[in-house]
Amino acid sequence: MTLGMVLSLPANLCSGLYRVRGLYSRAVWMQNAALLLGQISQLFALAMFGSLLAVAIAFVLLQLLFAIFIAGFDALRRFPFPRRAARPPFIAPSRRSSIGQFGRALSFAIANITELALVNIPVLLVSALVAGRVAVVQWG
């Protein structure tokens, strides 16, 4: 679960861009939908396989799909400057403009990363103190 959350970190920068541009409700709505689908898939995995590993995979898979969608598709469609980096523009954007775009989103990205760390610290502490892997997965 922790590895899956670490892999979804690049979406935090995109969430910061959504906040800066006034589109944060869209990102929150999509994340909540991914969490709901993740919880439904966890119930399905538990009913079908009866394994905690299947439950963890079901949760992480939906979160990774959400991160890929945000960072790979939706953010590129909403914000023009990442698309310009993919193909050479006629006029190169200035560094000041590019840094300014990410600079406004950086504080929100740091807040999201901090929130993610605070959510996972109890799981890491339990895994360091408890020998049973089942107890750690149940805590997570």
Side-chain angles (χ1 to χ4, degrees):
M1 283 178 64
T2 303
L3 179 62
M5 292 299 110
V6 168
L7 290 174
S8 68
L9 282 177
N12 284 339
L13 183 59
C14 294
S15 292
L17 288 173
Y18 279 93
R19 282 186 186 181
V20 169
R21 298 294 183 165
L23 298 170
Y24 191 61
S25 62
R26 178 177 174 78
V28 169
W29 181 86
M30 287 189 295
Q31 185 175 18
N32 286 337
L35 284 171
L36 177 64
L37 290 174
Q39 290 176 352
I40 292 170
S41 66
Q42 285 177 344
L43 292 173
F44 181 74
L46 186 62
M48 290 298 294
F49 302 106
S51 166
L52 290 175
L53 179 63
V55 170
I57 289 172
F59 176 74
V60 170
L61 183 65
L62 264 295
Q63 292 303 309
L64 285 177
L65 288 175
F66 164 72
I68 290 169
F69 175 74
I70 287 286
F73 299 105
D74 200 52
L76 295 177
R77 194 177 56 158
R78 299 265 174 212
F79 310 113
F81 59 92
R83 280 195 310 255
R84 282 187 273 177
R87 56 187 141 106
F90 294 109
I91 300 171
S94 69
R95 286 187 187 180
R96 182 177 173 200
S97 172
S98 297
I99 291 171
Q101 293 289 329
F102 285 106
R104 291 191 291 179
L106 185 63
S107 62
F108 295 110
I110 290 172
N112 285 342
I113 290 169
T114 305
E115 179 184 356
L116 183 65
L118 290 174
V119 165
N120 285 317
I121 283 175
V123 176
L124 294 174
L125 288 175
V126 167
S127 67
L129 299 174
V130 176
R133 292 186 296 176
V134 173
V136 173
V137 171
Q138 288 174 342
W139 179 261

